[in-house]
mmCIF file of all heavy atoms in Angstrom:
data_model
loop_
_atom_site.group_PDB
_atom_site.id
_atom_site.type_symbol
_atom_site.label_atom_id
_atom_site.label_comp_id
_atom_site.label_asym_id
_atom_site.label_seq_id
_atom_site.Cartn_x
_atom_site.Cartn_y
_atom_site.Cartn_z
ATOM 1 N N ASP A 1 -96.357 -33.482 -20.560
ATOM 2 C CA ASP A 1 -95.008 -33.402 -20.006
ATOM 3 C C ASP A 1 -95.068 -33.306 -18.485
ATOM 4 O O ASP A 1 -96.067 -32.872 -17.912
ATOM 5 C CB ASP A 1 -94.279 -32.171 -20.566
ATOM 6 C CG ASP A 1 -94.159 -32.215 -22.077
ATOM 7 O OD1 ASP A 1 -93.710 -33.254 -22.596
ATOM 8 O OD2 ASP A 1 -94.527 -31.217 -22.720
ATOM 9 N N ALA A 2 -93.983 -33.711 -17.861
ATOM 10 C CA ALA A 2 -93.883 -33.596 -16.409
ATOM 11 C C ALA A 2 -93.566 -32.163 -16.026
ATOM 12 O O ALA A 2 -92.604 -31.579 -16.533
ATOM 13 C CB ALA A 2 -92.793 -34.528 -15.891
ATOM 14 N N GLU A 3 -94.353 -31.612 -15.145
ATOM 15 C CA GLU A 3 -94.127 -30.239 -14.672
ATOM 16 C C GLU A 3 -93.229 -30.305 -13.436
ATOM 17 O O GLU A 3 -93.672 -30.111 -12.292
ATOM 18 C CB GLU A 3 -95.474 -29.594 -14.376
ATOM 19 C CG GLU A 3 -96.386 -29.542 -15.606
ATOM 20 C CD GLU A 3 -97.812 -29.148 -15.275
ATOM 21 O OE1 GLU A 3 -98.077 -27.935 -15.196
ATOM 22 O OE2 GLU A 3 -98.644 -30.057 -15.096
ATOM 23 N N LEU A 4 -91.962 -30.587 -13.694
ATOM 24 C CA LEU A 4 -91.026 -30.907 -12.620
ATOM 25 C C LEU A 4 -90.823 -29.758 -11.640
ATOM 26 O O LEU A 4 -90.558 -29.994 -10.454
ATOM 27 C CB LEU A 4 -89.678 -31.327 -13.209
ATOM 28 C CG LEU A 4 -89.689 -32.613 -14.044
ATOM 29 C CD1 LEU A 4 -88.325 -32.828 -14.679
ATOM 30 C CD2 LEU A 4 -90.079 -33.808 -13.196
ATOM 31 N N ASP A 5 -90.943 -28.530 -12.121
ATOM 32 C CA ASP A 5 -90.728 -27.397 -11.235
ATOM 33 C C ASP A 5 -91.793 -27.291 -10.154
ATOM 34 O O ASP A 5 -91.606 -26.592 -9.151
ATOM 35 C CB ASP A 5 -90.683 -26.099 -12.044
ATOM 36 C CG ASP A 5 -91.959 -25.856 -12.840
ATOM 37 O OD1 ASP A 5 -92.512 -26.836 -13.382
ATOM 38 O OD2 ASP A 5 -92.398 -24.697 -12.927
ATOM 39 N N LYS A 6 -92.899 -28.012 -10.332
ATOM 40 C CA LYS A 6 -93.982 -27.986 -9.353
ATOM 41 C C LYS A 6 -93.855 -29.076 -8.291
ATOM 42 O O LYS A 6 -94.607 -29.079 -7.310
ATOM 43 C CB LYS A 6 -95.332 -28.160 -10.053
ATOM 44 C CG LYS A 6 -95.734 -27.032 -10.985
ATOM 45 C CD LYS A 6 -97.120 -27.321 -11.557
ATOM 46 C CE LYS A 6 -97.603 -26.206 -12.473
ATOM 47 N NZ LYS A 6 -98.957 -26.505 -13.009
ATOM 48 N N ALA A 7 -92.944 -30.045 -8.484
ATOM 49 C CA ALA A 7 -92.971 -31.274 -7.684
ATOM 50 C C ALA A 7 -91.840 -31.357 -6.674
ATOM 51 O O ALA A 7 -90.684 -31.043 -6.980
ATOM 52 C CB ALA A 7 -92.918 -32.492 -8.604
ATOM 53 N N ASP A 8 -92.197 -31.816 -5.470
ATOM 54 C CA ASP A 8 -91.206 -32.172 -4.452
ATOM 55 C C ASP A 8 -90.804 -33.639 -4.566
ATOM 56 O O ASP A 8 -89.727 -34.029 -4.099
ATOM 57 C CB ASP A 8 -91.772 -31.933 -3.053
ATOM 58 C CG ASP A 8 -92.197 -30.496 -2.833
ATOM 59 O OD1 ASP A 8 -91.386 -29.593 -3.114
ATOM 60 O OD2 ASP A 8 -93.348 -30.274 -2.395
ATOM 61 N N VAL A 9 -91.667 -34.442 -5.156
ATOM 62 C CA VAL A 9 -91.408 -35.867 -5.342
ATOM 63 C C VAL A 9 -92.119 -36.324 -6.597
ATOM 64 O O VAL A 9 -93.227 -35.849 -6.903
ATOM 65 C CB VAL A 9 -91.884 -36.696 -4.113
ATOM 66 C CG1 VAL A 9 -93.374 -36.509 -3.850
ATOM 67 C CG2 VAL A 9 -91.561 -38.180 -4.283
ATOM 68 N N ILE A 10 -91.482 -37.210 -7.342
ATOM 69 C CA ILE A 10 -92.143 -37.809 -8.496
ATOM 70 C C ILE A 10 -92.175 -39.324 -8.315
ATOM 71 O O ILE A 10 -91.229 -39.936 -7.820
ATOM 72 C CB ILE A 10 -91.474 -37.440 -9.833
ATOM 73 C CG1 ILE A 10 -89.987 -37.811 -9.852
ATOM 74 C CG2 ILE A 10 -91.686 -35.958 -10.135
ATOM 75 C CD1 ILE A 10 -89.334 -37.603 -11.219
ATOM 76 N N PHE A 11 -93.302 -39.899 -8.696
ATOM 77 C CA PHE A 11 -93.487 -41.342 -8.698
ATOM 78 C C PHE A 11 -93.400 -41.826 -10.144
ATOM 79 O O PHE A 11 -94.129 -41.325 -11.013
ATOM 80 C CB PHE A 11 -94.852 -41.713 -8.119
ATOM 81 C CG PHE A 11 -95.017 -41.406 -6.658
ATOM 82 C CD1 PHE A 11 -95.496 -40.168 -6.245
ATOM 83 C CD2 PHE A 11 -94.709 -42.356 -5.690
ATOM 84 C CE1 PHE A 11 -95.660 -39.879 -4.898
ATOM 85 C CE2 PHE A 11 -94.870 -42.080 -4.341
ATOM 86 C CZ PHE A 11 -95.343 -40.837 -3.944
ATOM 87 N N LEU A 12 -92.529 -42.790 -10.394
ATOM 88 C CA LEU A 12 -92.353 -43.314 -11.745
ATOM 89 C C LEU A 12 -93.182 -44.578 -11.900
ATOM 90 O O LEU A 12 -92.907 -45.600 -11.263
ATOM 91 C CB LEU A 12 -90.884 -43.609 -12.013
ATOM 92 C CG LEU A 12 -89.904 -42.456 -11.768
ATOM 93 C CD1 LEU A 12 -88.496 -42.848 -12.195
ATOM 94 C CD2 LEU A 12 -90.352 -41.181 -12.475
ATOM 95 N N CYS A 13 -94.200 -44.515 -12.762
ATOM 96 C CA CYS A 13 -95.141 -45.625 -12.951
ATOM 97 C C CYS A 13 -95.210 -46.067 -14.406
ATOM 98 O O CYS A 13 -96.202 -46.658 -14.832
ATOM 99 C CB CYS A 13 -96.537 -45.206 -12.486
ATOM 100 S SG CYS A 13 -96.665 -44.729 -10.766
ATOM 101 N N SER A 14 -94.169 -45.795 -15.179
ATOM 102 C CA SER A 14 -94.223 -46.040 -16.623
ATOM 103 C C SER A 14 -93.965 -47.481 -17.017
ATOM 104 O O SER A 14 -94.081 -47.826 -18.183
ATOM 105 C CB SER A 14 -93.220 -45.127 -17.338
ATOM 106 O OG SER A 14 -93.598 -43.779 -17.196
ATOM 107 N N GLY A 15 -93.580 -48.309 -16.083
ATOM 108 C CA GLY A 15 -93.354 -49.706 -16.432
ATOM 109 C C GLY A 15 -91.878 -50.042 -16.471
ATOM 110 O O GLY A 15 -91.001 -49.168 -16.547
ATOM 111 N N HIS A 16 -91.616 -51.330 -16.418
ATOM 112 C CA HIS A 16 -90.243 -51.812 -16.335
ATOM 113 C C HIS A 16 -89.459 -51.465 -17.607
ATOM 114 O O HIS A 16 -89.965 -51.561 -18.711
ATOM 115 C CB HIS A 16 -90.244 -53.322 -16.104
ATOM 116 C CG HIS A 16 -91.097 -53.748 -14.950
ATOM 117 N ND1 HIS A 16 -91.008 -53.155 -13.709
ATOM 118 C CD2 HIS A 16 -92.067 -54.691 -14.841
ATOM 119 C CE1 HIS A 16 -91.880 -53.721 -12.887
ATOM 120 N NE2 HIS A 16 -92.532 -54.644 -13.557
ATOM 121 N N GLY A 17 -88.213 -51.053 -17.398
ATOM 122 C CA GLY A 17 -87.340 -50.739 -18.508
ATOM 123 C C GLY A 17 -87.358 -49.295 -18.945
ATOM 124 O O GLY A 17 -86.518 -48.880 -19.768
ATOM 125 N N LYS A 18 -88.276 -48.489 -18.416
ATOM 126 C CA LYS A 18 -88.389 -47.095 -18.842
ATOM 127 C C LYS A 18 -87.855 -46.109 -17.805
ATOM 128 O O LYS A 18 -87.502 -44.977 -18.140
ATOM 129 C CB LYS A 18 -89.845 -46.754 -19.162
ATOM 130 C CG LYS A 18 -90.428 -47.553 -20.310
ATOM 131 C CD LYS A 18 -91.879 -47.164 -20.589
ATOM 132 C CE LYS A 18 -92.449 -47.969 -21.746
ATOM 133 N NZ LYS A 18 -93.864 -47.601 -22.024
ATOM 134 N N SER A 19 -87.819 -46.517 -16.552
ATOM 135 C CA SER A 19 -87.463 -45.582 -15.489
ATOM 136 C C SER A 19 -86.012 -45.123 -15.563
ATOM 137 O O SER A 19 -85.701 -43.955 -15.340
ATOM 138 C CB SER A 19 -87.731 -46.206 -14.118
ATOM 139 O OG SER A 19 -89.118 -46.363 -13.903
ATOM 140 N N LYS A 20 -85.113 -46.055 -15.855
ATOM 141 C CA LYS A 20 -83.695 -45.703 -15.816
ATOM 142 C C LYS A 20 -83.379 -44.621 -16.845
ATOM 143 O O LYS A 20 -82.703 -43.629 -16.535
ATOM 144 C CB LYS A 20 -82.833 -46.942 -16.033
ATOM 145 C CG LYS A 20 -81.343 -46.661 -15.898
ATOM 146 C CD LYS A 20 -80.547 -47.926 -15.681
ATOM 147 C CE LYS A 20 -80.717 -48.463 -14.276
ATOM 148 N NZ LYS A 20 -79.751 -49.534 -13.955
ATOM 149 N N SER A 21 -83.880 -44.777 -18.075
ATOM 150 C CA SER A 21 -83.612 -43.768 -19.093
ATOM 151 C C SER A 21 -84.270 -42.447 -18.728
ATOM 152 O O SER A 21 -83.715 -41.367 -19.002
ATOM 153 C CB SER A 21 -84.083 -44.251 -20.463
ATOM 154 O OG SER A 21 -85.471 -44.507 -20.456
ATOM 155 N N TYR A 22 -85.438 -42.509 -18.084
ATOM 156 C CA TYR A 22 -86.109 -41.279 -17.685
ATOM 157 C C TYR A 22 -85.296 -40.548 -16.615
ATOM 158 O O TYR A 22 -85.088 -39.329 -16.707
ATOM 159 C CB TYR A 22 -87.515 -41.562 -17.168
ATOM 160 C CG TYR A 22 -88.264 -40.305 -16.809
ATOM 161 C CD1 TYR A 22 -88.937 -39.583 -17.781
ATOM 162 C CD2 TYR A 22 -88.264 -39.815 -15.505
ATOM 163 C CE1 TYR A 22 -89.586 -38.400 -17.469
ATOM 164 C CE2 TYR A 22 -88.918 -38.635 -15.178
ATOM 165 C CZ TYR A 22 -89.580 -37.934 -16.165
ATOM 166 O OH TYR A 22 -90.208 -36.768 -15.852
ATOM 167 N N VAL A 23 -84.839 -41.279 -15.618
ATOM 168 C CA VAL A 23 -84.042 -40.663 -14.551
ATOM 169 C C VAL A 23 -82.779 -40.033 -15.124
ATOM 170 O O VAL A 23 -82.384 -38.917 -14.755
ATOM 171 C CB VAL A 23 -83.706 -41.704 -13.462
ATOM 172 C CG1 VAL A 23 -82.657 -41.158 -12.496
ATOM 173 C CG2 VAL A 23 -84.961 -42.093 -12.702
ATOM 174 N N HIS A 24 -82.136 -40.740 -16.047
ATOM 175 C CA HIS A 24 -80.900 -40.213 -16.633
ATOM 176 C C HIS A 24 -81.147 -38.977 -17.493
ATOM 177 O O HIS A 24 -80.203 -38.212 -17.757
ATOM 178 C CB HIS A 24 -80.217 -41.299 -17.461
ATOM 179 C CG HIS A 24 -79.668 -42.409 -16.634
ATOM 180 N ND1 HIS A 24 -79.256 -43.616 -17.170
ATOM 181 C CD2 HIS A 24 -79.473 -42.530 -15.294
ATOM 182 C CE1 HIS A 24 -78.832 -44.407 -16.209
ATOM 183 N NE2 HIS A 24 -78.950 -43.771 -15.057
ATOM 184 N N SER A 25 -82.389 -38.779 -17.938
ATOM 185 C CA SER A 25 -82.706 -37.619 -18.774
ATOM 186 C C SER A 25 -83.182 -36.419 -17.966
ATOM 187 O O SER A 25 -83.417 -35.346 -18.540
ATOM 188 C CB SER A 25 -83.787 -37.992 -19.795
ATOM 189 O OG SER A 25 -85.054 -38.160 -19.160
ATOM 190 N N LEU A 26 -83.336 -36.580 -16.657
ATOM 191 C CA LEU A 26 -83.825 -35.467 -15.832
ATOM 192 C C LEU A 26 -82.821 -34.321 -15.826
ATOM 193 O O LEU A 26 -81.607 -34.544 -15.774
ATOM 194 C CB LEU A 26 -84.063 -35.946 -14.392
ATOM 195 C CG LEU A 26 -85.287 -36.820 -14.147
ATOM 196 C CD1 LEU A 26 -85.260 -37.405 -12.737
ATOM 197 C CD2 LEU A 26 -86.576 -36.025 -14.361
ATOM 198 N N PRO A 27 -83.306 -33.088 -15.850
ATOM 199 C CA PRO A 27 -82.379 -31.945 -15.816
ATOM 200 C C PRO A 27 -81.669 -31.856 -14.465
ATOM 201 O O PRO A 27 -82.199 -32.270 -13.431
ATOM 202 C CB PRO A 27 -83.305 -30.746 -16.032
ATOM 203 C CG PRO A 27 -84.658 -31.209 -15.583
ATOM 204 C CD PRO A 27 -84.721 -32.666 -15.924
ATOM 205 N N ASP A 28 -80.466 -31.316 -14.496
ATOM 206 C CA ASP A 28 -79.689 -31.166 -13.262
ATOM 207 C C ASP A 28 -80.405 -30.296 -12.239
ATOM 208 O O ASP A 28 -80.151 -30.402 -11.034
ATOM 209 C CB ASP A 28 -78.315 -30.565 -13.570
ATOM 210 C CG ASP A 28 -77.435 -31.503 -14.385
ATOM 211 O OD1 ASP A 28 -77.710 -32.714 -14.371
ATOM 212 O OD2 ASP A 28 -76.501 -31.008 -15.041
ATOM 213 N N SER A 29 -81.297 -29.450 -12.728
ATOM 214 C CA SER A 29 -82.003 -28.538 -11.834
ATOM 215 C C SER A 29 -83.057 -29.229 -10.976
ATOM 216 O O SER A 29 -83.509 -28.658 -9.971
ATOM 217 C CB SER A 29 -82.679 -27.423 -12.638
ATOM 218 O OG SER A 29 -83.596 -27.976 -13.579
ATOM 219 N N PHE A 30 -83.425 -30.461 -11.344
ATOM 220 C CA PHE A 30 -84.452 -31.164 -10.556
ATOM 221 C C PHE A 30 -83.821 -31.734 -9.294
ATOM 222 O O PHE A 30 -82.930 -32.568 -9.356
ATOM 223 C CB PHE A 30 -85.102 -32.279 -11.364
ATOM 224 C CG PHE A 30 -86.153 -33.031 -10.580
ATOM 225 C CD1 PHE A 30 -87.341 -32.412 -10.225
ATOM 226 C CD2 PHE A 30 -85.942 -34.343 -10.164
ATOM 227 C CE1 PHE A 30 -88.310 -33.087 -9.489
ATOM 228 C CE2 PHE A 30 -86.896 -35.022 -9.431
ATOM 229 C CZ PHE A 30 -88.084 -34.392 -9.095
ATOM 230 N N SER A 31 -84.310 -31.291 -8.154
ATOM 231 C CA SER A 31 -83.753 -31.732 -6.866
ATOM 232 C C SER A 31 -84.773 -32.492 -6.027
ATOM 233 O O SER A 31 -84.528 -32.748 -4.847
ATOM 234 C CB SER A 31 -83.249 -30.528 -6.073
ATOM 235 O OG SER A 31 -84.310 -29.600 -5.840
ATOM 236 N N GLY A 32 -85.903 -32.847 -6.633
ATOM 237 C CA GLY A 32 -86.944 -33.540 -5.891
ATOM 238 C C GLY A 32 -86.606 -34.996 -5.615
ATOM 239 O O GLY A 32 -85.643 -35.563 -6.146
ATOM 240 N N LYS A 33 -87.409 -35.607 -4.765
ATOM 241 C CA LYS A 33 -87.262 -37.031 -4.464
ATOM 242 C C LYS A 33 -87.843 -37.851 -5.621
ATOM 243 O O LYS A 33 -88.729 -37.391 -6.358
ATOM 244 C CB LYS A 33 -87.985 -37.387 -3.175
ATOM 245 C CG LYS A 33 -87.748 -36.432 -2.006
ATOM 246 C CD LYS A 33 -86.345 -36.472 -1.482
ATOM 247 C CE LYS A 33 -86.231 -35.634 -0.196
ATOM 248 N NZ LYS A 33 -84.856 -35.594 0.323
ATOM 249 N N ILE A 34 -87.366 -39.089 -5.749
ATOM 250 C CA ILE A 34 -87.857 -39.995 -6.793
ATOM 251 C C ILE A 34 -88.213 -41.329 -6.151
ATOM 252 O O ILE A 34 -87.412 -41.896 -5.400
ATOM 253 C CB ILE A 34 -86.802 -40.228 -7.886
ATOM 254 C CG1 ILE A 34 -86.385 -38.891 -8.525
ATOM 255 C CG2 ILE A 34 -87.342 -41.178 -8.948
ATOM 256 C CD1 ILE A 34 -85.212 -39.033 -9.494
ATOM 257 N N ILE A 35 -89.417 -41.810 -6.448
ATOM 258 C CA ILE A 35 -89.829 -43.147 -6.019
ATOM 259 C C ILE A 35 -90.217 -43.919 -7.264
ATOM 260 O O ILE A 35 -91.183 -43.571 -7.959
ATOM 261 C CB ILE A 35 -90.989 -43.081 -5.004
ATOM 262 C CG1 ILE A 35 -90.551 -42.307 -3.767
ATOM 263 C CG2 ILE A 35 -91.451 -44.501 -4.622
ATOM 264 C CD1 ILE A 35 -91.652 -42.072 -2.746
ATOM 265 N N ASP A 36 -89.446 -44.951 -7.575
ATOM 266 C CA ASP A 36 -89.635 -45.728 -8.804
ATOM 267 C C ASP A 36 -90.386 -47.009 -8.495
ATOM 268 O O ASP A 36 -89.958 -47.800 -7.657
ATOM 269 C CB ASP A 36 -88.281 -46.048 -9.428
ATOM 270 C CG ASP A 36 -88.416 -46.873 -10.690
ATOM 271 O OD1 ASP A 36 -89.429 -46.717 -11.395
ATOM 272 O OD2 ASP A 36 -87.508 -47.685 -10.966
ATOM 273 N N LEU A 37 -91.510 -47.226 -9.176
ATOM 274 C CA LEU A 37 -92.314 -48.419 -8.945
ATOM 275 C C LEU A 37 -91.992 -49.539 -9.926
ATOM 276 O O LEU A 37 -92.637 -50.584 -9.906
ATOM 277 C CB LEU A 37 -93.810 -48.082 -8.996
ATOM 278 C CG LEU A 37 -94.367 -47.429 -7.719
ATOM 279 C CD1 LEU A 37 -94.043 -45.952 -7.660
ATOM 280 C CD2 LEU A 37 -95.864 -47.647 -7.575
ATOM 281 N N SER A 38 -91.013 -49.346 -10.804
ATOM 282 C CA SER A 38 -90.596 -50.410 -11.711
ATOM 283 C C SER A 38 -89.471 -51.215 -11.067
ATOM 284 O O SER A 38 -89.069 -50.961 -9.937
ATOM 285 C CB SER A 38 -90.123 -49.816 -13.041
ATOM 286 O OG SER A 38 -88.781 -49.346 -12.930
ATOM 287 N N ASN A 39 -88.920 -52.162 -11.843
ATOM 288 C CA ASN A 39 -87.819 -52.973 -11.297
ATOM 289 C C ASN A 39 -86.443 -52.469 -11.727
ATOM 290 O O ASN A 39 -85.434 -53.138 -11.529
ATOM 291 C CB ASN A 39 -87.986 -54.448 -11.699
ATOM 292 C CG ASN A 39 -87.898 -54.666 -13.208
ATOM 293 O OD1 ASN A 39 -87.577 -53.748 -13.968
ATOM 294 N ND2 ASN A 39 -88.208 -55.874 -13.654
ATOM 295 N N ASP A 40 -86.376 -51.256 -12.299
ATOM 296 C CA ASP A 40 -85.131 -50.800 -12.914
ATOM 297 C C ASP A 40 -83.982 -50.585 -11.927
ATOM 298 O O ASP A 40 -82.809 -50.702 -12.301
ATOM 299 C CB ASP A 40 -85.371 -49.501 -13.681
ATOM 300 C CG ASP A 40 -86.141 -49.722 -14.976
ATOM 301 O OD1 ASP A 40 -86.773 -50.792 -15.115
ATOM 302 O OD2 ASP A 40 -86.129 -48.824 -15.828
ATOM 303 N N PHE A 41 -84.297 -50.251 -10.670
ATOM 304 C CA PHE A 41 -83.239 -49.931 -9.705
ATOM 305 C C PHE A 41 -83.248 -50.852 -8.488
ATOM 306 O O PHE A 41 -82.574 -50.562 -7.495
ATOM 307 C CB PHE A 41 -83.397 -48.475 -9.233
ATOM 308 C CG PHE A 41 -83.213 -47.448 -10.318
ATOM 309 C CD1 PHE A 41 -84.314 -46.854 -10.911
ATOM 310 C CD2 PHE A 41 -81.945 -47.080 -10.745
ATOM 311 C CE1 PHE A 41 -84.151 -45.888 -11.903
ATOM 312 C CE2 PHE A 41 -81.774 -46.116 -11.739
ATOM 313 C CZ PHE A 41 -82.883 -45.531 -12.330
ATOM 314 N N ARG A 42 -83.981 -51.944 -8.544
ATOM 315 C CA ARG A 42 -84.139 -52.783 -7.348
ATOM 316 C C ARG A 42 -82.915 -53.615 -7.029
ATOM 317 O O ARG A 42 -82.635 -53.897 -5.852
ATOM 318 C CB ARG A 42 -85.354 -53.703 -7.513
ATOM 319 C CG ARG A 42 -86.685 -52.971 -7.481
ATOM 320 C CD ARG A 42 -87.825 -53.907 -7.820
ATOM 321 N NE ARG A 42 -89.099 -53.181 -7.931
ATOM 322 C CZ ARG A 42 -90.170 -53.666 -8.547
ATOM 323 N NH1 ARG A 42 -90.126 -54.857 -9.113
ATOM 324 N NH2 ARG A 42 -91.272 -52.933 -8.615
ATOM 325 N N LEU A 43 -82.202 -54.058 -8.030
ATOM 326 C CA LEU A 43 -81.054 -54.929 -7.801
ATOM 327 C C LEU A 43 -79.801 -54.104 -7.557
ATOM 328 O O LEU A 43 -79.626 -53.016 -8.117
ATOM 329 C CB LEU A 43 -80.845 -55.856 -8.988
ATOM 330 C CG LEU A 43 -82.010 -56.797 -9.308
ATOM 331 C CD1 LEU A 43 -81.658 -57.695 -10.486
ATOM 332 C CD2 LEU A 43 -82.378 -57.638 -8.089
ATOM 333 N N ALA A 44 -78.908 -54.631 -6.744
ATOM 334 C CA ALA A 44 -77.710 -53.894 -6.356
ATOM 335 C C ALA A 44 -76.902 -53.449 -7.567
ATOM 336 O O ALA A 44 -76.364 -52.339 -7.601
ATOM 337 C CB ALA A 44 -76.857 -54.748 -5.427
ATOM 338 N N ALA A 45 -76.833 -54.290 -8.592
ATOM 339 C CA ALA A 45 -76.044 -53.960 -9.777
ATOM 340 C C ALA A 45 -76.623 -52.780 -10.542
ATOM 341 O O ALA A 45 -75.907 -52.110 -11.297
ATOM 342 C CB ALA A 45 -75.954 -55.180 -10.692
#
């Protein structure tokens, strides 16, 4: 599991199509930065 309470930033490397659902499942308490290496958020739409 991700130890989110330890992180100031998380890098998402799980592959295309998985990042968006992961981001949407993050707890409201997580205030760290997110850098996604998939294509899930690259397009304006």
